[in-house]
């Protein structure tokens, strides 16, 4: 089989994401016949049908669904290789660490202090991101990231778990469930849930930060499921009720699989040591504002 080119994958992804050859061609700056020809050529070389086409619609075949997932990963890997190579060529090494403001459970400052004492340490540039930090890792805009499961998909990444804690529902005082001592997920069925921007649309109310999440919750437009460390750091007049069967919120340090960077290994080692010490101490860590704790470059 001839080698598949990144250009062909980009063309395919554009059609697969719009399911419309005309709109995809316009977005790519191509004539539609040229795009259709490129996709047909890819199908012939792969010996599969990627799209079911009728006069009214375009749909992905099972083979197309697989290629869409793999093509996104491949294009992100190519972009990451280019970005990281360019950075290495500038001669000033640093680690780009992606984190959500207030999303480190207070662990980042002691981790960075421990890391700075390691001979393999390089300067850390904080990338504050409300968006999907997994994408930042995959396309090379970040070298490491603080992720939260079950919200973030850490599949295909190497991780170091830093903290796991139960989640509670955040409710307005007048909510029908606000007087309960505990809840189960079934109790929240049908309730609109706050959803972070950039994550799959599951019908919840989109929010971009904790301030907006508090606003929509206080107005009764949504409920929120948050780890206790986040709730402890919030100034609010809302009610929190433990959700006993919700999957724990896990804070992870994550980086791309196969990475051989001594600096990332040193950061992961510092994170592991600090997290273990905090678990042993069994006391909450104050969650101060991210900007006051970590200086950018």
């Amino acid at each position: 089989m001839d080698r598949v080119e990144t250009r062909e994958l980009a063309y395919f992804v554009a059609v697969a994401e719009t399911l419309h050859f005309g709109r995809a061609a316009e977005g790519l700056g191509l004539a539609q016949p040229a795009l259709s020809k490129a996709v047909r050529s890819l199908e012939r070389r792969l010996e599969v049908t990627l799209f079911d086409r009728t006069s009214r619609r375009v749909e992905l075949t099972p083979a197309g669904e697989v290629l869409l997932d793999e093509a996104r990963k491949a294009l992100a890997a190519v972009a990451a290789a280019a970005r990281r190579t360019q950075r290495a060529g500038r001669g000033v090494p640093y680690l780009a660490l992606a984190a959500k403001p207030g999303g480190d459970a207070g662990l980042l400052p002691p981790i960075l202090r421990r890391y700075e004492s390691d001979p393999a340490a390089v300067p850390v540039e904080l990338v504050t991101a409300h968006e999907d930090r997994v994408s930042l890792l995959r396309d090379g805009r970040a070298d490491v990231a603080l992720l939260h499961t079950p919200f973030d998909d850490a599949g295909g990444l190497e991780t170091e778990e830093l903290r796991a804690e139960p989640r509670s529902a955040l409710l307005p005082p007048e909510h029908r469930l606000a007087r309960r001592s505990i809840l189960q997920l079934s109790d929240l069925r049908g309730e609109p849930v706050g959803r972070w921007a950039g994550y799959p649309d599951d019908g919840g109310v989109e929010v971009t930060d904790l301030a907006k999440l508090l606003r929509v919750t206080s107005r009764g437009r949504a409920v929120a499921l948050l780890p206790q460390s986040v709730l402890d750091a919030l100034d609010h007049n809302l009610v929190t009720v433990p959700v006993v069967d919700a999957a724990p919120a896990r804070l992870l340090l994550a980086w791309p699989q196969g990475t051989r960077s001594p600096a990332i290994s040193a950061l992961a080692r510092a994170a592991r040591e600090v997290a273990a010490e905090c678990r042993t101490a069994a006391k909450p860590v104050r969650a101060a504002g991210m900007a006051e704790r970590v200086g950018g470059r």
Side-chain angles (χ1 to χ4, degrees), residues 75-84 134-142:
L75 292 172
V78 170
R83 286 192 176 100
R84 290 181 177 130
V134 174
S135 295
L136 301 182
L137 277 181
R138 296 197 192 284
D139 68 14
R141 286 176 288 170

Side-chain angles (χ1 to χ4, degrees), residues 89-225:
R90 295 186 183 118
V92 182
Y94 68 91
L95 285 184
L97 190 158
K100 182 186 296 183
D104 66 337
L107 293 176
L108 189 54
I111 288 172
L112 292 181
R113 287 194 294 271
R114 180 71 57 87
Y115 167 69
E116 288 166 0
S117 66
D118 194 294
V122 298
V124 173
E125 176 180 311
L126 182 66
V127 181
T128 38
H130 296 288
E131 62 185 297
D132 182 1
R133 292 169 301 288
V134 174
S135 295
L136 301 182
L137 277 181
R138 296 197 192 284
D139 68 14
R141 286 176 288 170
D143 301 301
V144 289
L146 288 173
L147 305 181
H148 298 82
T149 59
F151 316 108
D152 296 310
D153 177 13
L157 300 172
E158 295 188 43
T159 62
E160 182 71 43
E161 183 174 311
L162 307 182
R163 184 166 183 158
E165 56 185 319
R167 289 187 287 161
S168 295
L170 188 64
L171 307 166
E174 64 276 9
H175 194 278
R176 63 184 179 85
L177 301 172
R179 295 182 180 274
R180 298 274 292 273
S181 58
I182 60 170
L183 293 172
Q184 295 185 331
L185 289 173
S186 58
D187 297 320
L188 299 172
R189 190 173 295 125
E191 294 283 348
V193 178
R195 173 181 61 84
W196 296 110
Y199 289 80
D201 187 353
D202 56 4
V205 178
E206 183 176 280
V207 297
T208 54
D209 52 46
L210 284 172
K212 183 172 182 180
L213 183 62
L214 288 178
R215 286 197 300 273
V216 298
T217 303
S218 63
R219 295 170 184 170
R221 293 180 53 208
V223 300
L225 275 177

